[in-house]
Amino acid sequence: MTDTTRFMDSALEEARKAAARGEVPIGAVVVLDGRIVAAAGNRTRELNDITAHAEIEAIRHAAASVGTERLTGADLYVTLEPCTMCAAAISFARIRRLYYGAEDPKGGAVDSGVRFYASPTCHHVPDVYSGLAEREAADILRDFFAGKR
Ligand SMILES: [Zn+2]
């Protein structure tokens, strides 16, 4: 198993844990120097906080763990294409590489919607790798919403 696969597997695990908590199942991990420094899932319901997306939670935990405001040189893995808020936070955090699973044509902001990283007001653009374990990431979401009906 490659490191990339292993890190995305950890993000998928966080997504499954989020589903078990009744949260929309999206998971993220932040990797620095080849190791996971933060792993998180969506906690918007638990925290009554619409900013508690998996990516934001992972960035907050990673920054606290490393003790720096910015995460220069860190990579972020997330199961779904980030939304506008998270795409911006990833840029502000100076994340080096963004790896995401499924595309999100309805809410994504990287390759969908506003395409934040192509905007002239975006001052740090991570390298973006999409489509990692996208079937699995999409299945977790689909199963969650199917169960809700
Ligand atoms: Zn988001």
Side-chain angles (χ1 to χ4, degrees), residues 26 42 50-51 53-56 81-87 107:
I26 299 166
N42 248 354
I50 51 86
T51 71
H53 284 187
E55 301 94 311
I56 303 279
E81 180 182 357
C83 72
T84 310
M85 170 180 73
C86 293

Side-chain angles (χ1 to χ4, degrees), residues 61-144:
H61 295 160
S65 150
V66 176
T68 57
E69 178 186 14
R70 289 177 177 157
L71 298 167
T72 308
D75 300 333
L76 187 141
Y77 291 73
V78 59
T79 54
L80 186 69
E81 180 182 357
C83 72
T84 310
M85 170 180 73
C86 293
I90 287 163
S91 171
F92 297 159
R94 300 292 191 270
I95 295 288
R96 178 180 61 174
R97 296 188 189 121
L98 164 64
Y99 298 85
Y100 76 79
E103 277 199 2
D104 184 8
K106 284 185 186 167
V110 176
D111 295 307
S112 310
V114 301
R115 292 181 172 81
F116 181 73
Y117 300 134
S119 155
T121 55
C122 174
H123 305 299
H124 170 82
V125 178
D127 295 331
V128 176
Y129 304 87
S130 59
L132 279 90
E134 73 181 307
R135 175 78 58 85
E136 204 174 346
D139 283 353
I140 293 171
L141 279 159
R142 200 200 50 228
D143 291 351
F144 177 79

